[in-house]
Amino acid sequence: TDEFADRRHLIERSGKLGLGTAYIAGFKWAVAEKYDYIFEMDADFSHDPKDLPRLYKACAEDGADVAIGSRYVSGVNVVNWPMGRVLMSYYASKYVRLILGVPLHDTTAGFKCYRRKVLETIDLDAIRFKGYAFQIEMKYTAYKLGFNVVEVPVIFVNRVEGTSKMSGGIFSEALFGVMRLRWAALTGKIKPKK
């Protein structure tokens, strides 16, 4: 017997359409279902489910609108990653922080809790990026729309299952996408959903 049958929902899509579009499909479903808090996390155990209550508390009790499970807010909390990957991720977040002027240490993290109003306010159809830059764009958009975005320290453990999707194309999307995001902010194109 499956005790979670009525609480677990699966959205199946045909083909590989990108990380960002998968999350947006899930976000739209969760908003339509009127969930108050929506979580985003990897399913390969690199994000510890035991940290979920801490992200929830940051939003439900401590006033955050978005809580990020951050690898870098208190040093470098990464286990079993090759040093080159750690350095690339760490300095990528520093680069994003510098270019966008966003006060976050882990701008590429994919472990988050959103209040529903954040996902209702962001124009999800206007989110441009599909790969890792999607993570940056969602955080930056929430920040620019005036939401309280906080970081909760977590330990990231390198994936137990599966393989990394990181590629040169994804990396360049993030690198140049940050400049496009900065330009969008300067030209007033980051707006709430109408």
Side-chain angles (χ1 to χ4, degrees), residues 80-122:
N80 293 340
W81 248 9
M83 184 53 69
R85 183 81 188 270
V86 173
L87 291 172
M88 183 177 73
S89 174
Y90 179 78
Y91 285 109
S93 280
K94 291 283 188 189
Y95 164 77
V96 172
R97 182 179 168 126
L98 176 70
I99 299 297
L100 296 182
V102 62
L104 299 172
H105 294 86
D106 193 347
T107 54
T108 60
F111 193 15
K112 299 195 283 291
C113 175
Y114 292 93
R115 285 183 185 268
R116 185 176 75 234
K117 67 178 179 179
V118 177
L119 299 178
E120 289 174 331
T121 303
I122 292 174

Side-chain angles (χ1 to χ4, degrees), residues 47 68-78 81 85 89-90 93 105-110 132 139 151-157:
H47 297 144
I68 300 166
S70 176
R71 298 162 291 186
Y72 307 129
V73 71
S74 59
V76 178
N77 295 324
V78 177
W81 248 9
R85 183 81 188 270
S89 174
Y90 179 78
S93 280
H105 294 86
D106 193 347
T107 54
T108 60
Y132 283 86
K139 292 179 191 74
E151 292 181 277
V152 175
V154 299
I155 295 174
F156 178 93
V157 180

Side-chain angles (χ1 to χ4, degrees), residues 9-60:
H9 308 278
L10 176 66
I11 300 171
E12 292 190 73
R13 307 187 308 157
S14 59
K16 293 191 176 229
L17 304 171
L19 173 86
T21 63
Y23 274 126
I24 286 172
F27 292 158
K28 286 181 175 181
W29 181 88
V31 167
E33 293 292 318
K34 301 293 185 188
Y35 286 101
D36 292 327
Y37 301 95
I38 294 100
F39 293 84
E40 171 187 336
M41 67 186 296
D42 290 350
D44 60 8
F45 298 106
S46 52
H47 297 144
D48 190 341
K50 292 177 183 174
D51 288 322
L52 290 169
R54 296 172 59 234
L55 296 181
Y56 171 77
K57 180 180 180 294
C59 289

Side-chain angles (χ1 to χ4, degrees), residues 139-176:
K139 292 179 191 74
Y140 186 58
T141 302
Y143 171 75
K144 291 303 287 184
L145 292 177
F147 289 109
N148 181 23
V149 183
V150 304
E151 292 181 277
V152 175
V154 299
I155 295 174
F156 178 93
V157 180
N158 193 27
R159 66 186 62 242
V160 175
E161 301 291 342
T163 56
S164 174
K165 308 289 189 303
M166 180 60 76
S167 67
I170 289 171
F171 184 76
S172 64
E173 179 196 55
L175 183 71
F176 296 109

